[in-house]
Amino acid sequence: MDNYLTVNVVTPNGLVYEHHAAIVVAKTLDGEIGILPRHAPIIVPLTIDEVRIKRVDADAHIDWIAVNGGVMEVRENIVSIIADSAERERDIDVPRAERAKQRAEKMIQEAKQNDDIDELSRATVALHRAINRINVSKHT
Ligand code: ATP
């Protein structure tokens, strides 16, 4: 079959998502990329951002996934996303993400006061993860 994609999202916890899709849109370090069937083979690093997947079944419903970086490989109409963590919109615990956001904001303030560059960079990444989850949760 060459008129649809098979999309897998895998994390250390296992397979988070597997569906057939008409298009996948993800954010790479070089910007947004849209993958259609018969796309040339690629491997690209992803940023902490949302991945949009338009299903071929389910009335072309759009699924949203909060992806925590990782890589996307496209080969023979199979799109494989491998990331440290990834959650579908419906699986996101919003209060947890809000708490993580507040914690990260506090850590950023403290790291700035202490001139702690490493802590500032860790907290900034944690803040991005939390904001990404909150944004994706709003797509339900
Ligand atoms: P927290 O501080 O809340 O643990 P975190 O960004 O440090 O957030 P991660 O290390 O990225 O968390 O993820 C650890 C595990 O918890 C992963 O399996 C991830 O999918 C899951 N996870 C983290 N935050 C959420 C959330 N808000 N809703 C659902 N699952 C989450």
Side-chain angles (χ1 to χ4, degrees):
M1 287 291 185
D2 63 358
N3 56 350
Y4 64 80
L5 302 161
T6 301
V7 185
N8 307 301
V9 180
V10 182
T11 73
N13 290 337
L15 187 65
V16 170
Y17 181 93
E18 185 174 46
H19 279 292
H20 292 146
I23 181 169
V24 177
V25 179
K27 193 73 84 59
T28 75
L29 295 176
D30 292 329
E32 200 167 71
I33 185 170
I35 307 293
L36 291 163
R38 295 185 291 280
H39 195 284
I42 50 159
I43 298 182
V44 282
L46 299 179
T47 57
I48 297 172
D49 214 306
E50 49 194 31
V51 171
R52 268 190 337 267
I53 300 164
K54 186 173 179 191
R55 300 264 293 270
V56 288
D57 53 350
D59 292 330
H61 182 76
I62 309 244
D63 289 333
W64 299 81
I65 303 184
V67 173
N68 177 15
V71 293
M72 177 172 71
E73 179 188 34
V74 182
R75 189 174 50 84
E76 293 174 2
N77 282 342
I78 299 172
V79 179
S80 304
I81 293 173
I82 300 150
D84 283 340
S85 65
E87 302 91 32
R88 288 185 72 160
E89 70 269 47
R90 65 180 188 208
D91 297 326
I92 291 171
D93 177 340
V94 180
R96 175 175 170 180
E98 294 283 1
R99 285 195 302 276
K101 177 172 176 279
Q102 284 168 14
R103 221 169 27 245
E105 286 167 344
K106 190 161 169 262
M107 279 167 61
I108 287 172
Q109 291 304 324
E110 286 168 5
K112 281 182 180 164
Q113 280 161 12
N114 300 333
D115 275 335
D116 187 338
I117 304 293
D118 291 343
E119 188 69 357
L120 181 59
S121 130
R122 267 195 300 275
T124 304
V125 173
L127 181 61
H128 282 154
R129 280 199 304 271
I131 291 173
N132 187 37
R133 286 174 175 134
I134 292 164
N135 290 341
V136 167
S137 74
K138 291 182 179 152
H139 293 303
T140 49

